[in-house]
Amino acid sequence: MYFPSWLSQLYRGLSRPIRRTTQPIWGSLSRSLVLSSQRRNPEFSSFVVRTNTCGELRSSHLGQEVTLCGWIQYRRQNTFLVLRDFHGLVQVIIPQDESAASVRKILCEAPMESVVQVSGTVISRPAGQENPKMPTGEIEIKVKTAELLNACKKLPFEIKDFMKKTEALRLQYRYLDLRSFQMQYNLRLRSQMVMKMREYLCNLHGFVDIETPTLFKRTPGGAKEFLVPSREPGKFYSLPQSPQQFKQLLMVGGLDRYFQVARCYRDEGSRPDRQPEFTQIDIEMSFVDQTGIQSLIEGLLQYSWPNDKNPVVVPFPSMTFAEALATYGTDKPDTRFGMKIIDISDVFRNTEIGFLQDALSKPHGTVKAICIPEGAVSEVQKFFSTRNLFANFIMELKRQELIRLMETQEEDVVLLTAGEHNKACSLLGKLRLECADLLETRGVVLRDPTLFSFLWVVDFPLFLPKEENPRELESAHHPFTAPHPSDIHLLYTEPKKVRSQHYDLVLNGNEIGGGSIRIHNAELQQYILATLLKEDVKLLSHMLQALDYGAPPHGGIALGLDRLICVVTGSPSIRDVIAFPKSFRGHDLMSNTPDSIPPEELKPYHIQVSWPTDSKAAKAH
Amino acid sequence: MYFPSWLSQLYRGLSRPIRRTTQPIWGSLSRSLVLSSQRRNPEFSSFVVRTNTCGELRSSHLGQEVTLCGWIQYRRQNTFLVLRDFHGLVQVIIPQDESAASVRKILCEAPMESVVQVSGTVISRPAGQENPKMPTGEIEIKVKTAELLNACKKLPFEIKDFMKKTEALRLQYRYLDLRSFQMQYNLRLRSQMVMKMREYLCNLHGFVDIETPTLFKRTPGGAKEFLVPSREPGKFYSLPQSPQQFKQLLMVGGLDRYFQVARCYRDEGSRPDRQPEFTQIDIEMSFVDQTGIQSLIEGLLQYSWPNDKNPVVVPFPSMTFAEALATYGTDKPDTRFGMKIIDISDVFRNTEIGFLQDALSKPHGTVKAICIPEGAVSEVQKFFSTRNLFANFIMELKRQELIRLMETQEEDVVLLTAGEHNKACSLLGKLRLECADLLETRGVVLRDPTLFSFLWVVDFPLFLPKEENPRELESAHHPFTAPHPSDIHLLYTEPKKVRSQHYDLVLNGNEIGGGSIRIHNAELQQYILATLLKEDVKLLSHMLQALDYGAPPHGGIALGLDRLICVVTGSPSIRDVIAFPKSFRGHDLMSNTPDSIPPEELKPYHIQVSWPTDSKAAKAH
């Protein structure tokens, strides 16, 4: 980094992940919760006492005798109330005549959010009292009988305001939070989208849904795996981060089209917007290449995409990892907007500014820039105003060249970095997103939340230098990833240069999937594991053996379902698309989980707690 | 028990569970693995290099140029080979002309079970050489090009004989075992049946598929729950035995029709034919009663039932728990055959045989009997011959009365028990099944394996006396089960007499599902938990609180998917319907799981192993 003072500050500030999605514009009460992707309407009232749902009644039901069950959402002047169920709202008229005293008593005295069952007739609302914003706004229910199914105690808050409450409160009373339109919409959309994916995979393309174990063996370097003590002293299961080994073994077993909506586990402590357990659409195929997997996924997303969203356009564009890094400073570019990175090294090739000269003279040294349109009249200007004196100074020197090269307009702001290529790009990539946030606070819509911009990122490096010891290699993704066919010869000479057959799927700047063609040759797998990665091959001996017994060529992919649904619904957090998520710190705030265990319940598992003795460790928790 | 010597021996012998299913008659190679329930054929070769599957080629494909990928199943005299994939077998002619030397070399030299890709033309088999037992038996492939995709090393056994190998070997090389027709058929049937269930629930009846956490809090008395240490000292997650609490909380949250194909966990040590993780079709509905759930499930099974099996007849018959016990000696009667239990107490009411008199004089004292048809000419006779002198003696005394009452024929055998009603019935229930086994070894088909005999068992007791302290109560099923409406008053006076709204679904003598209407009243739930069951209510305070905030009346059920598929496919063990099952002792024999963990990987979880010190504990493992 070559603007050490303010840039490094900025870099640290940016190292917290930036949420790319925008707050959704939630539908009013008129929003139908029944997604239109359904080919025929399911029977929502089969097998139960209600005849209809609250949300479905229309003028076409006039005169029908109905029985409804729902929660009291609202009541006015003891004359009518609004009843709510999973499907919507309906207005119920409280009878005023003396003969209906018991019905009136029930409906007037039941606290808000009590559950009642009412039977009555669907009638028209009086002329002028229709509510066009409400799907059931033309009708109301003239009640004949009512029953209080369960009274509600005083709530800690009002349901309709729940989204405004703190997230801790929402999680503590999750069963109340789930009554909100937003949560019900999100969970239903999730269910329907997954159902469509299953139809596409199973019914259209012959995939077999196979469940794989979650009590498994630790994987080499699987430091993020939860442990499960067994009843044998010192022996543990691990909760795997993905069904990777099993899906490959299924290919060896000849089940050539596998998928699973798989529960996976990752213990990452308290990384924000991650969950200790998460779900992926896990897919593996035999006799396939990269193009085949990509076409499958494009078709899958197109088929399962909700009808009430902007459609998915296929095929998705593709970009190499190198290009993504050079142009967007990240391996998951948000391609909904420009502000691309431009190499301006040549402008400063003969500069006399010492640190730029210094930067350019080092290996992979570059000067890079992005142009923030109208940045000078926005928050961007304020953000950088106290920090960019130095930059101004550079700009004066090279102003004309830069304006030409960057095609800047008046009131644009240009940000520069100088240094090693990858780092310079990566920093600008973060600034690009931060500036987009700043511009959007001013009302500029850079990233249209209704737009879905998919991108394949390909040709990743197969290996990366280990962070703790850059002379050793680690897998950029996982050790089963096949090398790029053009680069196999480099494995034995310059392994760092080998590209992989890994591919990532990016949506609006979020990595929503990744996969690869796998190694199906035991010798090659052994060479990579033992010689290049120096892994303990014993832990994977079953995999090496399996490859030797007629393993077919195969590849696959996994889509992160929580993240995908989060982007599709425009939710601010994946916690909004999971029924019972954990908090940042991995807690279930509703039930107080994780919890203490009586020592006698640890005995069968031959473990005991190592209580931290020093204050530092105690403090850390 | 009143025939203490031989009967108690027998009882012990019978206490191992008896497998009720019969070995299936597996289809020959002519069996189509594509189940006919598919409404249109999926595209099995989309996105991949093959143009067709090995199993699909027929006379209608004659003249087509095809590319196939598969395993070499068989080769004869270097003139043809049989190629196998997930969909079947096809015959491939190895070209003999000089110009095809390289193709011939590949196909003749590749070891069995190697994976090859061949391209060629579909031609007729020469007249007289068709194989009517093989779906592709009319055609063969005239190969033009061939590629060895992966060679296979010498296998530890032949694939086709694999089912004959020991189960330990099958589990060790599970990826080879999966290549067997049986395993592929079972896994595909499972996938398709679950898919149909999803269609029924989601698309036809508006259920929402919602995933619930598996990292949760321990439940009261949840001694069979696996623990997962967290990074907080002394704090643990538990892997729940079912999503019971979550499904009820979803109802409180207003999501009124929930289902999930849920992974569940139960640590039962080494009980045979159980798995530490298993799958259930988990369902919950609001505003429903017992009849509603039962109709839903009958429709579900009828809709999802494989077309190649005997159809499901609905509605299923129903029987009370008391009747099931009295008639079949079990709460999961196999109603495919008779041999019902008959009360013959009256025959011996005035007996002078001391121990019978003794038995009948005690509370609930009875004499019960079953009649084994033609038992005297079967293995049954041998089985009991050295033990039934005493019985013969009794029979002499009361022969005529018994023959009349039991409608016995010549050569039938009658078995008697005397003692407390439940125990006497339960013992005869076990003998009934054991005798059925013995009769079937002689070739009598008592339990038709193609017949599916469903039965609801209802009106279970709500509580049972605790085994370790019969003066205290425990839930017969779980503490959220609602009492029978007619028995609620007994809760406060004679709780042991209260029947529950629990229902079990039994198929051919296997419990394949169970559920109940739940308690939705917080006060009642509190009374049962705290006063009657004396549970630690703190662990469930979130549930009690949730019931207070407008919980709707609700109920549900869970079907044991592994067991159901096991019965449907007629498999001898649930391990045959699970891709990667654990062994009896909970081990994955393929990967050596569970395994040791380096001590440093235990540190983040603040646990250490308590190594057993005494030889007894060491021996136990």
Side-chain angles (χ1 to χ4, degrees):
Chain A
M1 291 304 109
Y2 288 89
F3 296 129
S5 60
W6 67 268
L7 264 188
S8 66
Q9 274 182 4
L10 194 58
Y11 199 98
R12 278 199 297 274
L14 291 173
S15 63
R16 61 179 172 85
I18 298 163
R19 290 282 314 124
R20 293 293 92 227
T21 54
T22 313
Q23 263 288 31
I25 303 148
W26 285 113
S28 68
L29 295 187
S30 68
R31 174 169 217 143
S32 169
L33 283 178
V34 182
L35 303 182
S36 47
S37 64
Q38 213 65 48
R39 274 143 307 174
R40 71 163 218 193
N41 272 346
E43 292 176 42
F44 291 110
S45 300
S46 44
F47 311 115
V48 292
V49 295
R50 71 179 174 216
T51 59
N52 294 81
T53 65
C54 294
E56 72 175 302
L57 296 173
R58 300 287 184 277
S59 288
S60 59
H61 296 87
L62 283 177
Q64 286 189 16
E65 299 294 312
V66 297
T67 297
L68 306 174
C69 299
W71 285 260
I72 300 177
Q73 167 105 352
Y74 179 75
R75 180 168 46 215
R76 198 173 67 186
Q77 295 165 339
N78 291 345
T79 55
F80 72 85
L81 54 79
V82 174
L83 205 61
R84 187 197 68 236
D85 69 10
F86 188 28
H87 298 273
L89 303 169
V90 70
Q91 183 162 301
V92 169
I93 303 302
I94 303 174
Q96 301 299 320
D97 46 314
E98 201 50 45
S99 65
S102 67
V103 171
R104 197 166 69 242
K105 186 174 156 66
I106 288 170
L107 295 181
C108 293
E109 290 183 2
M112 290 298 102
E113 292 300 317
S114 295
V115 199
V116 295
Q117 176 177 330
V118 298
S119 293
T121 316
V122 181
I123 58 170
S124 282
R125 293 202 190 184
Q129 293 188 25
E130 300 89 351
N131 182 351
K133 286 187 184 166
M134 202 170 165
T136 63
E138 294 182 350
I139 60 96
E140 55 194 16
I141 308 297
K142 189 181 170 191
V143 172
K144 286 178 190 146
T145 63
E147 187 183 345
L148 176 64
L149 297 177
N150 209 357
C152 182
K153 284 205 175 162
K154 173 124 187 61
L155 293 176
F157 38 75
E158 281 193 61
I159 298 291
K160 57 186 171 190
D161 292 336
F162 208 68
M163 290 299 275
K164 298 178 202 159
K165 303 290 166 189
T166 67
E167 185 157 35
L169 198 65
R170 288 181 56 198
L171 291 178
Q172 186 188 344
Y173 295 99
R174 188 59 162 184
Y175 45 87
L176 295 179
D177 190 28
L178 289 174
R179 290 186 192 168
S180 68
F181 273 98
Q182 288 88 334
M183 281 307 303
Q184 298 204 343
Y185 174 84
N186 290 356
L187 293 178
R188 187 185 290 266
L189 179 140
R190 180 178 177 135
S191 168
Q192 292 188 351
M193 203 166 158
V194 171
M195 187 65 199
K196 297 277 282 180
M197 289 184 180
R198 294 179 178 279
E199 288 173 11
Y200 176 87
L201 291 167
C202 262
N203 296 351
L204 300 188
H205 294 287
F207 279 73
V208 182
D209 179 6
I210 300 176
E211 297 174 72
T212 59
T214 56
L215 293 173
F216 193 46
K217 189 190 182 77
R218 76 189 168 101
T219 43
K224 291 173 176 171
E225 287 175 357
F226 286 102
L227 297 175
V228 183
S230 80
R231 287 174 188 255
E232 291 172 63
K235 297 289 179 81
F236 293 81
Y237 299 102
S238 283
L239 298 176
Q241 294 188 38
S242 88
Q244 186 61 37
Q245 293 187 40
F246 292 113
K247 69 201 279 196
Q248 294 194 236
L249 291 166
L250 287 171
M251 296 305 112
V252 180
L255 296 131
D256 55 30
R257 298 183 158 218
Y258 145 88
F259 90 101
Q260 183 184 194
V261 181
R263 189 68 57 90
C264 304
Y265 300 85
R266 196 180 294 149
D267 181 15
E268 298 191 292
S270 54
R271 279 189 61 183
D273 222 24
R274 295 282 184 122
Q275 289 285 316
E277 50 186 318
F278 57 98
T279 303
Q280 65 189 34
I281 309 289
D282 199 50
I283 291 173
E284 197 81 4
M285 295 172 86
S286 293
F287 315 117
V288 76
D289 60 12
Q290 185 162 324
T291 317
I293 297 282
Q294 291 177 344
S295 302
L296 171 82
I297 294 302
E298 287 163 0
L300 174 75
L301 287 166
Q302 195 169 44
Y303 184 87
S304 61
W305 208 250
N307 287 358
D308 65 346
K309 307 289 176 196
N310 271 332
V312 171
V313 181
V314 298
F316 303 153
S318 188
M319 190 182 284
T320 66
F321 168 75
E323 191 185 346
L325 190 63
T327 315
Y328 294 96
T330 174
D331 59 356
K332 44 180 182 178
D334 189 337
T335 48
R336 285 176 297 177
F337 69 108
M339 289 166 50
K340 296 179 185 176
I341 298 170
I342 292 167
D343 191 304
I344 52 167
S345 303
D346 286 346
V347 177
F348 298 100
R349 195 64 70 192
N350 301 310
T351 185
E352 286 172 6
I353 305 169
F355 65 87
L356 289 181
Q357 205 180 18
D358 192 32
L360 286 169
S361 67
K362 292 202 173 157
H364 308 297
T366 54
V367 184
K368 302 277 186 182
I370 56 171
C371 173
I372 319 293
E374 300 184 50
V377 292
S378 72
E379 301 296 317
V380 174
Q381 178 68 9
K382 283 188 210 159
F383 190 72
F384 290 108
S385 61
T386 57
R387 294 154 169 157
N388 61 357
L389 299 175
F390 215 9
N392 275 342
F393 166 67
I394 297 163
M395 290 294 280
E396 285 308 320
L397 289 175
K398 298 287 184 178
R399 179 183 288 274
Q400 289 313 313
E401 268 181 89
L402 282 172
I403 285 175
R404 187 185 46 76
L405 199 66
M406 312 268 315
E407 299 176 1
T408 53
Q409 310 282 315
E410 205 161 338
E411 309 208 312
D412 288 1
V413 163
V414 170
L415 299 178
L416 276 72
T417 56
E420 190 270 324
H421 174 84
N422 290 1
K423 285 183 179 168
C425 291
S426 177
L427 174 54
L428 277 185
K430 291 189 168 86
L431 288 172
R432 175 177 172 267
L433 295 177
E434 186 73 3
C435 289
D437 283 348
L438 292 169
L439 288 173
E440 285 180 347
T441 59
R442 223 191 45 178
V444 181
V445 180
L446 272 181
R447 297 163 295 191
D448 181 352
T450 69
L451 204 73
F452 297 100
S453 188
F454 284 97
L455 176 74
W456 291 109
V457 179
V458 300
D459 289 357
F460 283 84
L462 186 56
F463 304 110
L464 293 174
K466 270 189 187 169
E467 260 188 52
E468 63 277 19
N469 178 2
R471 299 178 63 179
E472 291 185 3
L473 295 178
E474 62 183 10
S475 296
H477 294 94
H478 60 61
F480 310 115
T481 310
H484 197 290
S486 324
D487 295 355
I488 287 185
H489 61 287
L490 293 172
L491 272 177
Y492 308 92
T493 53
E494 295 175 282
K496 279 187 192 178
K497 287 196 177 166
V498 176
R499 289 166 301 162
S500 71
Q501 293 193 64
H502 178 94
Y503 29 85
D504 267 356
L505 182 58
V506 175
L507 170 57
N508 294 359
N510 298 278
E511 186 201 318
I512 58 153
S516 59
I517 302 304
R518 328 294 186 186
I519 298 167
H520 64 275
N521 179 291
E523 258 176 75
L524 178 60
Q525 185 69 74
Q526 168 85 28
Y527 175 76
I528 286 180
L529 279 172
T531 309
L532 294 182
L533 296 173
K534 305 190 193 319
E535 288 285 3
D536 179 2
V537 177
K538 254 184 295 174
L539 283 173
L540 290 172
S541 58
H542 55 287
M543 289 295 287
L544 288 165
Q545 201 170 28
L547 294 184
D548 251 341
Y549 287 137
H554 61 287
I557 194 166
L559 302 182
L561 183 62
D562 307 296
R563 175 69 56 205
L564 173 63
I565 303 291
C566 183
V567 178
V568 172
T569 57
S571 300
S573 157
I574 57 169
R575 291 183 298 283
D576 293 326
V577 299
I578 297 171
F580 298 99
K582 301 284 193 295
S583 73
F584 277 150
R585 293 186 58 209
H587 289 200
D588 179 314
L589 301 179
M590 183 179 65
S591 66
N592 187 27
T593 303
D595 202 2
S596 309
I597 295 284
E600 65 270 20
E601 290 189 21
L602 298 179
K603 270 188 195 161
Y605 298 107
H606 306 280
I607 55 168
Q608 52 183 300
V609 177
S610 314
W611 294 101
T613 47
D614 60 313
S615 59
K616 193 181 156 194
K619 207 177 165 187
H621 296 91
Chain B
M1 291 303 108
Y2 288 92
F3 297 131
S5 61
W6 66 269
L7 265 188
S8 67
Q9 272 182 6
L10 193 57
Y11 199 98
R12 277 200 298 275
L14 290 173
S15 63
R16 64 178 170 83
I18 296 161
R19 292 280 315 121
R20 291 294 93 227
T21 55
T22 315
Q23 263 287 32
I25 303 146
W26 285 114
S28 69
L29 296 187
S30 67
R31 174 170 218 144
S32 169
L33 284 178
V34 184
L35 303 183
S36 47
S37 64
Q38 213 67 48
R39 274 140 308 174
R40 71 164 220 195
N41 272 346
E43 293 176 41
F44 291 111
S45 300
S46 44
F47 311 114
V48 292
V49 297
R50 71 181 176 216
T51 59
N52 295 81
T53 65
C54 294
E56 72 175 304
L57 296 173
R58 300 287 183 277
S59 288
S60 60
H61 296 88
L62 282 176
Q64 286 188 15
E65 299 294 312
V66 297
T67 297
L68 306 174
C69 299
W71 285 260
I72 300 176
Q73 167 104 352
Y74 180 74
R75 180 169 47 216
R76 196 173 68 185
Q77 295 165 341
N78 291 345
T79 55
F80 71 84
L81 53 80
V82 173
L83 206 60
R84 186 197 69 237
D85 68 12
F86 188 29
H87 299 273
L89 303 168
V90 69
Q91 183 161 300
V92 170
I93 303 302
I94 303 175
Q96 301 298 319
D97 46 316
E98 201 50 44
S99 65
S102 67
V103 171
R104 197 168 69 242
K105 188 174 155 66
I106 287 168
L107 295 181
C108 293
E109 291 183 1
M112 290 298 101
E113 290 301 318
S114 295
V115 199
V116 295
Q117 176 178 328
V118 298
S119 293
T121 316
V122 182
I123 60 171
S124 281
R125 293 203 189 183
Q129 293 187 27
E130 300 88 350
N131 183 350
K133 285 187 187 168
M134 201 171 167
T136 64
E138 294 183 349
I139 59 97
E140 57 195 12
I141 309 297
K142 190 180 169 190
V143 172
K144 286 176 190 149
T145 63
E147 187 184 345
L148 176 64
L149 297 177
N150 209 357
C152 182
K153 285 206 174 161
K154 175 127 183 59
L155 293 174
F157 38 74
E158 282 192 62
I159 298 290
K160 59 186 172 189
D161 292 336
F162 209 69
M163 290 299 276
K164 298 178 201 157
K165 302 291 165 187
T166 66
E167 183 156 38
L169 198 66
R170 288 180 57 199
L171 291 179
Q172 186 186 345
Y173 296 98
R174 189 58 162 185
Y175 45 87
L176 296 177
D177 190 29
L178 289 174
R179 290 186 192 167
S180 68
F181 273 98
Q182 289 88 333
M183 281 306 302
Q184 299 205 341
Y185 174 83
N186 290 358
L187 293 178
R188 187 185 291 266
L189 180 139
R190 179 178 178 136
S191 168
Q192 293 187 352
M193 202 167 159
V194 171
M195 186 65 200
K196 297 278 282 179
M197 289 184 180
R198 292 178 179 280
E199 289 172 11
Y200 176 86
L201 291 168
C202 263
N203 297 350
L204 301 188
H205 293 289
F207 280 75
V208 182
D209 179 5
I210 299 176
E211 298 175 71
T212 59
T214 56
L215 294 172
F216 193 48
K217 188 190 184 78
R218 74 190 172 99
T219 43
K224 290 172 178 172
E225 287 175 355
F226 287 102
L227 297 175
V228 182
S230 80
R231 286 174 189 255
E232 289 172 66
K235 296 290 179 78
F236 294 81
Y237 299 102
S238 283
L239 298 176
Q241 293 188 40
S242 88
Q244 185 61 37
Q245 292 187 41
F246 292 113
K247 69 201 278 195
Q248 293 194 237
L249 290 168
L250 286 171
M251 295 307 111
V252 181
L255 295 131
D256 55 30
R257 296 184 157 218
Y258 145 89
F259 90 101
Q260 183 183 196
V261 181
R263 189 69 58 87
C264 305
Y265 299 86
R266 196 180 294 148
D267 181 16
E268 299 193 290
S270 54
R271 281 189 58 182
D273 222 24
R274 293 284 182 121
Q275 289 285 317
E277 50 186 320
F278 58 97
T279 303
Q280 63 188 36
I281 309 289
D282 199 50
I283 290 173
E284 196 81 5
M285 294 172 87
S286 294
F287 316 117
V288 75
D289 60 11
Q290 185 162 321
T291 317
I293 296 282
Q294 290 177 346
S295 302
L296 171 83
I297 295 302
E298 288 163 0
L300 174 77
L301 287 165
Q302 195 170 44
Y303 184 87
S304 62
W305 207 250
N307 287 356
D308 66 345
K309 308 290 177 195
N310 271 333
V312 170
V313 180
V314 298
F316 303 154
S318 187
M319 189 181 285
T320 65
F321 168 75
E323 190 185 348
L325 189 64
T327 317
Y328 295 97
T330 174
D331 59 357
K332 43 180 183 180
D334 189 338
T335 47
R336 285 176 300 177
F337 69 106
M339 290 166 50
K340 296 180 187 176
I341 299 170
I342 292 168
D343 191 305
I344 52 167
S345 303
D346 286 347
V347 177
F348 297 100
R349 196 64 70 191
N350 301 310
T351 185
E352 289 173 5
I353 306 169
F355 65 87
L356 288 181
Q357 205 178 17
D358 193 30
L360 285 169
S361 67
K362 293 202 172 156
H364 309 292
T366 55
V367 184
K368 302 278 186 181
I370 56 172
C371 172
I372 320 292
E374 299 185 52
V377 292
S378 73
E379 302 296 318
V380 175
Q381 178 67 9
K382 284 187 210 160
F383 189 73
F384 291 107
S385 59
T386 57
R387 295 154 167 156
N388 62 358
L389 299 176
F390 215 11
N392 275 342
F393 165 69
I394 297 163
M395 292 293 280
E396 286 307 318
L397 288 176
K398 299 286 184 178
R399 179 182 288 273
Q400 288 315 314
E401 267 181 273
L402 282 173
I403 285 174
R404 186 186 46 78
L405 199 65
M406 312 266 318
E407 298 177 359
T408 53
Q409 310 282 315
E410 205 162 339
E411 308 208 314
D412 288 358
V413 163
V414 170
L415 300 179
L416 277 72
T417 55
E420 189 271 326
H421 174 83
N422 290 2
K423 287 184 178 169
C425 291
S426 177
L427 174 56
L428 276 185
K430 292 189 168 85
L431 288 171
R432 174 177 174 266
L433 295 177
E434 186 73 3
C435 289
D437 283 348
L438 292 168
L439 288 172
E440 284 181 349
T441 60
R442 221 190 48 177
V444 180
V445 181
L446 272 183
R447 296 163 296 190
D448 180 350
T450 68
L451 204 71
F452 296 100
S453 189
F454 284 96
L455 177 73
W456 290 110
V457 179
V458 299
D459 289 356
F460 283 84
L462 186 56
F463 305 109
L464 293 174
K466 271 189 186 170
E467 261 188 50
E468 62 276 20
N469 179 2
R471 299 179 63 180
E472 290 185 4
L473 296 178
E474 62 184 7
S475 294
H477 294 95
H478 59 63
F480 310 114
T481 310
H484 197 290
S486 325
D487 295 354
I488 287 186
H489 62 286
L490 293 171
L491 271 177
Y492 308 92
T493 51
E494 295 176 283
K496 280 187 192 178
K497 288 195 175 166
V498 176
R499 289 165 301 162
S500 71
Q501 292 193 65
H502 179 94
Y503 29 85
D504 266 355
L505 182 57
V506 175
L507 169 57
N508 293 0
N510 299 276
E511 186 203 318
I512 59 152
S516 59
I517 302 302
R518 328 295 184 186
I519 298 167
H520 64 275
N521 179 290
E523 259 177 75
L524 178 59
Q525 185 68 76
Q526 167 85 26
Y527 175 75
I528 287 180
L529 279 172
T531 309
L532 295 181
L533 297 173
K534 305 189 194 319
E535 288 285 3
D536 179 0
V537 178
K538 254 185 293 175
L539 284 172
L540 290 173
S541 58
H542 55 286
M543 290 294 288
L544 288 166
Q545 199 169 29
L547 294 185
D548 252 341
Y549 288 137
H554 61 287
I557 194 167
L559 303 181
L561 183 63
D562 307 297
R563 175 69 58 206
L564 173 64
I565 303 291
C566 183
V567 178
V568 173
T569 58
S571 301
S573 158
I574 56 167
R575 290 183 298 281
D576 292 325
V577 299
I578 297 171
F580 298 99
K582 301 285 192 294
S583 73
F584 277 149
R585 293 187 57 211
H587 288 200
D588 179 314
L589 301 179
M590 183 179 66
S591 65
N592 186 28
T593 302
D595 201 2
S596 309
I597 295 285
E600 66 271 19
E601 291 189 19
L602 298 180
K603 271 188 195 162
Y605 298 107
H606 305 280
I607 56 167
Q608 53 184 300
V609 177
S610 314
W611 294 102
T613 46
D614 60 314
S615 59
K616 190 182 160 194
K619 208 176 165 186
H621 297 94

